[in-house]
Amino acid sequence: MTITPRHLSLVPPLYEENHLAEFLESGQTVSFALSPRSNTLAAYATPLKCTPEASSSAEDVQQEDVYTAGWDKPPTGERRVFVTDTYVIFAACQKLVEPTILGGQELMRSSGNLAKFRKVASNYILHLQDCWVHSTQLMSSPEGPPQFTGDHYRSLYTSLSLFQTLYLPEDGIEDVPVGDELLEWLNTHFIEPSTEEGDQLSALERPWEDEIFWPYLVRATLRGLLKSSIFFLRSLAKHPLESLQQIAEHLVELLQKHPRQSHFSTEKEFFTTSRRWRDRAKVLRIELDRVSESERNDGFENWWDNVSDLLGILEGREDVLQRVCTDLGGGWKEMVCTYGVWIDVGLRRSELPDIVGRTLSNIPPDPTDKEDSLHAELSQGRPIRALAIAQEMDRWLAAHLADIMVPLGLLDSEADEETGLTTRDQYVLAYADYLHSDPGLWRLTVDYLYTCGEIGKEMADEVLVRVPLSIDDSPLSKSKNREGVHNTSMEVEMNTQIEDGDLSGVVKELNKTCFDYQREHVRRMICRIAAQKLVKLKKYGLAVSYCRSAEDWTGLGHIVDSVMEEYIVHGPLRYVPLVADISPSLQELRAEPGPHGVFVHRLMFAVRYAEFHQRNMQGDTENAALDLVSMFEEDLAPRAWWGVLLNDAIPFMQDDYHLFIPSNTVCFLLKRLEEITLRTTQGCGDDYLGVLVRILKVAGSKEALRHLHFLRLALARYLAKCTLAGPFGSNGISAHEI
């Protein structure tokens, strides 16, 4: 395979233009590393010489720019439309492939199967034709040239059409003469003689005097364009030589009765008529030979030699056909495609490789023309070699040709022992790599990969988990950044909702793809990644939903930690609305059995603690106090948060007018305070007071404990008030309970 040189433009540049010598003199060069996952590379500057004495300490290591690039240019414009449109055909084709392969060789070559895949090939061909025309028009467009030229798509068009003609016969019937089909393909894709030449000759009163008259007439006959041949043969009725007039008249009669396969209901009838017709041509040869030497040249051209060549073709003489094709510059394709019309009208597809091989030994293909070489390999029945050339032309062509070849029995469906890949899979994977150059085409990429066995599935899994979920670079986010501080709070809220929808939409598509291909472990991984992204966006409610979907209970614990961190850093005003999004998920998690109890327990504390602050901020002091106490009584509060909750209890203890908490509960709070004090003196204060230290912004746990001494005094005073209030104030607490 020929490797096309690529040029990388590095931004910022490693060196200025035309300063390569100075860059090398500085002792540096450019190195690169290939990605094991895709056709990408990383380029970076490295020293020209690495000596063992060179220091590798962290202090000596300098930060260097690393540039990432891809081997392939992402499909744009007409190319992007082409690959997305033909993907639909590929997807439909996969539904036909599996039952065909399982059915064995007999089903592969059945007429019904050939007809189905002929339709698939026809759809590809139509898209290639449209893209050829469109790209040709774009060449002169003010919008700029297309990514691939019209001639590129034309070569794909002719090649796939030839494959269809050779391997996917009409009506799915293989064992029929192929001459007419090959000639039709030749005349469709390689038009000769040109329409302009015909118009030029038809405008002349004596066309035989023009130097292109006889080449045009011979080639028109060779190509089966008999109406044109008859038209110009009739013009010879005005020729001054009577012998030529008579020969031309007989040729007209002969060509008018030329038998074509499509005009007969049975092959036997067609073969019989063709043989009799050819006998008539041989009779005309006798009459031509009777023309005297003096009349064989009309002063402009040796008409006799040209008519002899034309008649030799009609007689079925292979040597004449080959010489005429060579003289006219037609090459091996013209020889092969006309062979089944003039030499062997019963030529079968199975016999074609021998004819092509014999022809190519005399008229070889152009080695510099990949299209011509591909046509030669297809015509000789060499699918492996044909695919290698198709790969050089366009990976799209190789992948889709290989995909159709397998159900036709042209390629082995067994995987290679060394690579674990079939021939077909190798080409489809290469095309998928090309598609992966555009991350936006991930849906197409994975659909192609998932058809390539276990290796393809693993590669597709890696693509799915790396589909960008970030919305920071979306047009919406960019517009928000441009607007800056001028956005109103309502606009920000609306944009945030749209961002949530964008992220959820991408994950929904990814989940559907995983479901379609039964990749549950990948789906869970994607949900975990989405949850992590949402945590960064502080969308904790959605993050919990994704963790639940992924059954990522450790991730759920991290979300709780992040939510509680919001309280530590920003306080209840930021904390309460964030937790409000989590509450619905809590109810669903509590209803589900599973090994996630400890994480749900932590989530319950986060929600209950937010409810406490919500009531407190709304002035519902009595219920807020009961919430605070219940978190201790129900053992919801983690030990690290005991100090925080006890600190929150101080205002309730210091209220001069209300007794919110029963006296027996006050004793419970006092016990918790005693445990914290004891553990702190034993050196475990950080386990109980670490969070309070951060909230109070004090030096350490001992200082935080001194702050809680206010609680001890407040508790003592509160119990005293309860005693004075008697049974009507606080359940009749007596002094000895202190």
Side-chain angles (χ1 to χ4, degrees):
M1 179 175 177
T2 304
I3 298 177
T4 304
R6 301 292 176 89
H7 300 277
L8 296 178
S9 298
L10 304 183
V11 180
L14 283 175
Y15 53 86
E16 298 298 329
E17 188 175 3
N18 300 322
H19 287 73
L20 174 60
E22 291 87 338
F23 177 73
L24 296 175
E25 289 174 1
S26 69
Q28 296 187 90
T29 186
V30 178
S31 299
F32 68 93
L34 296 175
S35 168
R37 293 194 185 95
S38 61
N39 285 345
T40 57
L41 59 89
Y44 50 93
T46 55
L48 271 173
K49 297 180 180 179
C50 294
T51 59
E53 295 79 11
S55 173
S56 59
S57 65
E59 297 178 357
D60 296 332
V61 176
Q62 298 181 355
Q63 289 187 347
E64 296 286 351
D65 291 327
V66 177
Y67 304 84
T68 57
W71 288 114
D72 304 304
K73 293 182 179 179
T76 59
E78 95 296 333
R79 180 66 172 187
R80 188 181 176 90
V81 173
F82 173 71
V83 299
T84 52
D85 286 351
T86 53
Y87 154 75
V88 178
I89 305 170
F90 174 84
C93 181
Q94 300 315 297
K95 298 177 181 178
L96 304 174
V97 170
E98 186 173 353
T100 301
I101 296 176
L102 294 176
Q105 189 72 24
E106 185 176 345
L107 180 59
M108 289 179 180
R109 306 307 301 177
S110 66
S111 59
N113 190 54
L114 293 176
K116 290 177 184 177
F117 286 98
R118 179 181 176 84
K119 181 170 177 56
V120 171
S122 296
N123 290 332
Y124 284 136
I125 290 168
L126 286 174
H127 279 82
L128 283 169
Q129 185 178 22
D130 291 343
C131 206
W132 167 30
V133 174
H134 180 60
S135 297
T136 302
Q137 294 171 345
L138 287 177
M139 292 299 292
S140 57
S141 171
E143 299 176 1
Q147 188 172 21
F148 287 83
T149 65
D151 190 58
H152 176 79
Y153 289 108
R154 182 204 58 77
S155 65
L156 305 186
Y157 172 49
T158 62
S159 301
L160 193 54
S161 297
L162 178 61
F163 173 80
Q164 182 190 52
T165 300
L166 295 174
Y167 299 99
L168 295 165
E170 274 194 82
D171 302 321
I173 303 174
E174 280 189 290
D175 193 26
V176 293
V178 72
D180 283 353
E181 294 179 60
L182 286 174
L183 185 59
E184 182 181 357
W185 173 82
L186 182 69
N187 287 332
T188 300
H189 299 284
F190 301 92
I191 300 174
E192 291 289 348
S194 67
T195 304
E196 292 76 11
E197 290 175 331
D199 293 341
Q200 176 185 335
L201 290 174
S202 60
L204 301 175
E205 184 177 354
R206 300 161 65 90
W208 59 84
E209 295 180 357
D210 195 292
E211 62 180 2
I212 67 171
F213 175 78
W214 287 107
Y216 181 92
L217 180 58
V218 172
R219 198 160 206 172
T221 305
L222 179 67
R223 291 294 194 97
L225 307 175
L226 301 187
K227 289 184 178 180
S228 295
S229 301
I230 290 171
F231 174 82
F232 287 108
L233 282 172
R234 282 175 172 166
S235 70
L236 293 175
K238 300 178 182 179
H239 196 279
L241 291 177
E242 184 178 352
S243 56
L244 178 54
Q245 294 178 20
Q246 293 176 356
I247 295 294
E249 183 178 351
H250 292 314
L251 283 172
V252 168
E253 294 175 359
L254 190 63
L255 292 178
Q256 285 177 332
K257 296 180 180 180
H258 178 242
R260 301 298 289 267
Q261 179 188 347
S262 58
H263 299 159
F264 296 87
S265 57
T266 64
E267 285 189 20
K268 182 179 179 181
E269 184 180 0
F270 170 59
F271 292 155
T272 302
T273 305
S274 297
R275 186 169 56 254
R276 292 173 179 172
W277 181 86
R278 188 165 292 170
D279 290 341
R280 293 184 59 191
K282 293 176 180 178
V283 171
L284 185 56
R285 165 68 65 181
I286 298 174
E287 183 176 345
L288 180 64
D289 290 341
R290 290 174 180 167
V291 176
S292 63
E293 289 288 341
S294 59
E295 293 184 348
R296 294 184 178 184
N297 193 312
D298 59 1
F300 300 99
E301 185 82 25
N302 189 324
W303 65 265
W304 191 94
D305 287 343
N306 288 296
V307 172
S308 179
D309 287 343
L310 194 154
L311 194 56
I313 293 171
L314 304 187
E315 290 175 309
R317 293 170 58 185
E318 184 176 347
D319 59 325
V320 175
L321 178 65
Q322 180 174 313
R323 177 170 51 78
V324 169
C325 289
T326 303
D327 292 345
L328 294 175
W332 70 268
K333 278 197 287 279
E334 192 153 28
M335 169 73 180
V336 169
C337 292
T338 56
Y339 189 94
V341 175
W342 302 115
I343 308 302
D344 182 3
V345 295
L347 179 67
R348 261 49 175 186
R349 285 174 170 79
S350 59
E351 301 168 336
L352 190 61
D354 293 335
I355 303 300
V356 176
R358 190 167 69 240
T359 302
L360 290 175
S361 63
N362 298 315
I363 314 175
D366 183 355
T368 64
D369 187 344
K370 291 185 177 65
E371 179 187 358
D372 196 43
S373 299
L374 174 58
H375 295 171
E377 299 299 341
L378 288 173
S379 300
Q380 293 180 91
R382 297 174 177 174
I384 300 296
R385 294 187 182 183
L387 288 174
I389 298 173
Q391 179 82 342
E392 296 183 28
M393 291 174 61
D394 193 317
R395 274 175 281 183
W396 179 93
L397 180 61
H400 293 81
L401 271 179
D403 186 53
I404 299 179
M405 284 180 177
V406 173
L408 299 182
L410 300 175
L411 290 179
D412 190 356
S413 58
E414 295 295 324
D416 182 82
E417 293 182 0
E418 183 176 347
T419 64
L421 295 170
T422 65
T423 302
R424 177 260 182 203
D425 291 349
Q426 292 177 20
Y427 290 106
V428 175
L429 288 177
Y431 178 63
D433 267 344
Y434 163 69
L435 292 178
H436 193 36
S437 63
D438 183 351
L441 295 175
W442 64 265
R443 299 165 188 82
L444 278 66
T445 302
V446 298
D447 283 345
Y448 278 96
L449 289 174
Y450 275 128
T451 66
C452 299
E454 289 303 317
I455 293 178
K457 290 177 182 178
E458 292 176 5
M459 293 177 66
D461 293 346
E462 295 297 324
V463 172
L464 286 178
V465 299
R466 287 170 174 79
V467 170
L469 299 180
S470 174
I471 55 177
D472 297 335
D473 295 328
S474 66
L476 174 61
S477 299
K478 290 179 180 178
S479 66
K480 276 186 19 178
N481 292 336
R482 285 195 298 268
E483 291 170 7
V485 296
H486 301 290
N487 275 339
T488 66
S489 60
M490 184 178 298
E491 288 172 337
V492 172
E493 182 179 356
M494 180 187 68
N495 289 340
T496 301
Q497 292 173 354
I498 294 174
E499 289 175 354
D500 291 346
D502 289 345
L503 182 60
S504 300
V506 174
V507 177
K508 185 176 181 181
E509 286 189 63
L510 290 167
N511 284 345
K512 182 181 182 302
T513 302
C514 293
F515 178 79
D516 290 342
Y517 292 104
Q518 301 178 1
R519 312 301 287 178
E520 176 62 17
H521 67 287
V522 179
R523 185 196 68 79
R524 293 187 180 188
M525 187 179 297
I526 291 168
C527 288
R528 286 198 293 270
I529 295 171
Q532 293 167 8
K533 171 61 184 174
L534 288 164
V535 167
K536 292 180 180 178
L537 295 174
K538 304 186 187 305
K539 305 300 177 185
Y540 297 111
L542 278 175
V544 170
S545 298
Y546 282 120
C547 278
R548 176 186 167 212
S549 179
E551 298 185 10
D552 180 17
W553 310 125
T554 304
L556 179 61
H558 292 322
I559 293 174
V560 176
D561 292 340
S562 299
V563 172
M564 301 313 295
E565 186 70 18
E566 293 290 337
Y567 176 82
I568 296 171
V569 176
H570 301 290
L573 289 177
R574 175 78 68 88
Y575 172 72
V576 171
L578 290 174
V579 178
D581 293 336
I582 300 178
S583 298
S585 299
L586 176 61
Q587 303 302 323
E588 296 171 355
L589 284 166
R590 294 182 66 181
E592 294 178 357
H596 53 280
V598 62
F599 303 105
V600 174
H601 190 83
R602 293 170 60 187
L603 185 59
M604 288 173 61
F605 167 70
V607 173
R608 290 285 294 277
Y609 192 54
E611 291 173 353
F612 157 73
H613 280 290
Q614 177 72 17
R615 289 191 172 98
N616 203 21
M617 289 187 295
Q618 291 175 348
D620 188 3
T621 313
E622 182 176 357
N623 286 321
L626 293 175
D627 278 343
L628 181 65
V629 171
S630 66
M631 282 187 279
F632 273 118
E633 292 177 337
E634 297 173 18
D635 202 21
L636 277 180
R639 290 182 180 179
W641 284 79
W642 283 7
V644 178
L645 266 63
L646 290 174
N647 186 62
D648 291 335
I650 294 176
F652 300 107
M653 301 296 104
Q654 294 175 337
D655 192 291
D656 294 331
Y657 302 101
H658 300 92
L659 298 175
F660 298 110
I661 302 174
S663 58
N664 59 340
T665 303
V666 174
C667 293
F668 183 79
L669 295 179
L670 188 57
K671 290 178 182 178
R672 287 285 183 260
L673 179 58
E674 290 295 341
E675 184 176 346
I676 292 174
T677 303
L678 177 62
R679 295 299 184 187
T680 302
T681 58
Q682 293 175 346
C684 301
D686 291 342
D687 295 340
Y688 291 82
L689 297 174
V691 176
L692 184 60
V693 167
R694 295 183 59 195
I695 292 174
L696 297 178
K697 298 179 181 179
V698 294
S701 57
K702 291 183 178 180
E703 190 171 343
L705 184 60
R706 281 196 293 271
H707 181 82
L708 289 180
H709 285 165
F710 293 108
L711 176 62
R712 185 183 297 277
L713 295 174
L715 287 172
R717 293 179 59 190
Y718 189 88
L719 283 173
K721 288 190 289 183
C722 289
T723 303
L724 293 174
F728 300 103
S730 187
N731 298 335
I733 298 294
S734 60
H736 75 272
E737 291 181 281
I738 301 177

